[in-house]
Amino acid sequence: MKNFIKIEIANKQQGFTFLHNVNNGENGSTSHVDRELFSTIVLLKGELDYIIEGKRIHLLPSDILLVGNDELHRSVFKEGLECEYILLMVNLDFFVKHNCTELSEMFFNRALGTNNIIPSDKVLSSGLFEIVNRLDKYAKENNPNHVVISSVIIELLYNLDKQVMKLEKINHKQQKIKKIIEYINDNLTKHISLEDIASHFYMSREYLCKLFKEGTGFTVNKYISYKRIVLVREYNLKGMSLAVACEKVGFNDYSAFYRAYHKIMNESPSQGMSKINL
C-alpha cells in the first residue's frame, strides 16, 4: 500500500512546509542532509524510528523529534505498521522573515545527533502538544490562512526552544556528575574530601553537594563510603585481611570501616559483606 497524504501545505514565501501524513508500513526513505531546512516531527500514532548521525531514535506517540539542517538522517517505518505523524519543515528564511532568528539556535547550536528528542511527558506537560493540535487544526481549514499558521509555528518554535534549553541544562549537569564520579573512583584509595572535589571542579562545596545529591540520590560522602566498602570486599575476597584492605582504600582503621558499613547497610560487615553490589 502506498502512503496517502491527509494534509500538505507548502508556502515558499513564508518559508515553511506542513505535512500531516499516514504511512502504512512502506519505508522508502534514504539517508540525507537537508542543507536549508530544519525539521520538526511529531508522532501521533504508531511507532517510528529515525536514524540521526548513526544513532537510532525510537519515537512513540506524542514524542517530538528535531532535525537540524546539517544532520544526516533518515526515517525507518516498521513494515505493515500504520504510522501517523506531522512533519513541519522551516527554512532559514522563515526565521529571518519573522524576526526570530534566535529560535534557530536550537537547531544550529546542538552537537550533531544530541538533544534531538523531546519525550512525550515533556511535550504534554509543557503544552507543546496543544500547540501542535492547534497548528493541525488551522492547516485543515478549507482556505488555510498562512499568516495565522506562521504565527502558530513561531509559538511552537518558541516553546520547543525552551524545552531544548532545559534538556541541554540537564545534560550539562549529567556530564558534570559523570566527571565527578570518575574523579572519585580514580582517587578512592587516596585521602579525598568535599573540599578537594569542589576545588578540583571549581565549584563551591554547597553546589557540589546539591548537584551530586540531585543527580545520584547519594550524598558525596555516602557515595565515597559505599564505593570504598565495595573495594574492601573485593580486596578481602582476593585474600587481603580486612584490616589491611580498610587502610588501603582510605578508612583509617577497621572501626572506621565498621561504622561506615553499619551506617549505610544497617547491619554489621559479618552479616552482609556478601550482599554488596554496585
Side-chain angles (χ1 to χ4, degrees):
M1 298 176 71
K2 294 185 177 180
N3 302 352
F4 62 91
I5 296 173
K6 297 180 72 173
I7 298 290
E8 182 175 10
I9 298 175
N11 188 315
K12 290 184 178 180
Q13 184 178 0
Q14 292 289 334
F16 73 83
T17 298
F18 175 91
L19 175 70
H20 184 147
N21 194 38
V22 174
N23 181 291
N24 287 298
E26 283 195 353
N27 188 23
S29 70
T30 57
S31 297
H32 62 284
V33 173
D34 297 315
R35 289 296 181 187
E36 298 180 0
L37 295 174
F38 306 87
S39 299
T40 300
I41 299 96
V42 186
L43 185 63
L44 302 176
K45 295 179 182 177
E47 296 180 28
L48 173 62
D49 284 2
Y50 255 80
I51 298 177
I52 301 179
E53 293 295 323
K55 182 175 69 175
R56 194 181 193 98
I57 298 175
H58 182 62
L59 295 178
L60 294 174
S62 301
D63 285 345
I64 292 181
L65 186 74
L66 304 178
V67 183
N69 68 325
D70 280 332
E71 291 182 304
L72 181 66
H73 65 279
R74 71 181 178 93
S75 57
V76 182
F77 297 95
K78 294 195 173 182
E79 186 177 353
L81 181 64
E82 185 175 280
C83 170
E84 184 176 358
Y85 62 94
I86 285 172
L87 170 62
L88 172 66
M89 294 180 288
V90 296
N91 60 31
L92 190 56
D93 288 342
F94 179 93
F95 297 100
V96 174
K97 179 179 177 63
H98 296 284
N99 197 29
C100 59
T101 54
E102 71 280 1
L103 298 181
S104 67
E105 297 299 307
M106 71 176 119
F107 297 102
F108 273 127
N109 283 350
R110 287 183 296 105
L112 296 178
T114 65
N115 292 342
N116 292 93
I117 188 168
I118 301 175
S120 60
D121 59 333
K122 303 298 182 186
V123 172
L124 295 171
S125 64
S126 67
L128 277 168
F129 203 72
E130 294 174 10
I131 301 172
V132 171
N133 281 334
R134 192 160 66 253
L135 180 61
D136 194 35
K137 175 186 174 183
Y138 289 134
K140 288 176 179 175
E141 292 179 350
N142 289 332
N143 295 300
N145 187 313
H146 290 191
V147 175
V148 172
I149 290 174
S150 293
S151 68
V152 180
I153 290 173
I154 294 170
E155 182 187 3
L156 177 63
L157 291 171
Y158 173 76
N159 285 277
L160 284 171
D161 184 59
K162 289 200 294 186
Q163 291 303 311
V164 170
M165 284 193 292
K166 288 179 181 179
L167 287 174
E168 289 176 345
K169 187 175 181 180
I170 291 170
N171 287 342
H172 183 62
K173 284 185 176 181
Q174 289 173 339
Q175 287 300 314
K176 275 189 176 179
I177 293 168
K178 181 181 177 182
K179 289 180 180 179
I180 291 168
I181 288 173
E182 289 174 351
Y183 178 79
I184 289 172
N185 282 280
D186 288 343
N187 293 277
L188 268 180
T189 59
K190 303 174 185 176
H191 173 76
I192 184 171
S193 65
L194 290 174
E195 288 75 16
D196 294 331
I197 302 169
S199 175
H200 182 81
F201 289 98
Y202 303 100
M203 61 179 67
S204 69
R205 171 175 165 160
E206 291 72 22
Y207 180 71
L208 166 68
C209 293
K210 180 182 179 182
L211 177 71
F212 199 85
K213 175 70 173 178
E214 288 178 351
T216 67
F218 285 93
T219 64
V220 177
N221 284 330
K222 187 173 182 179
Y223 179 82
I224 292 172
S225 293
Y226 196 91
K227 291 304 295 274
R228 282 177 170 166
I229 288 169
V230 172
L231 201 52
V232 167
R233 177 178 178 271
E234 290 179 2
Y235 286 145
N236 184 240
L237 288 173
K238 292 177 181 177
M240 188 180 294
S241 70
L242 281 177
V244 173
C246 290
E247 185 176 353
K248 184 176 178 65
V249 304
F251 290 113
N252 292 330
D253 50 37
Y254 178 77
S255 62
F257 163 73
Y258 185 96
R259 288 193 300 271
Y261 187 96
H262 195 275
K263 184 177 181 179
I264 292 174
M265 309 299 290
N266 286 320
E267 60 186 7
S268 68
S270 61
Q271 290 175 304
M273 281 280 282
S274 63
K275 301 176 186 176
I276 301 174
N277 186 27
L278 186 63

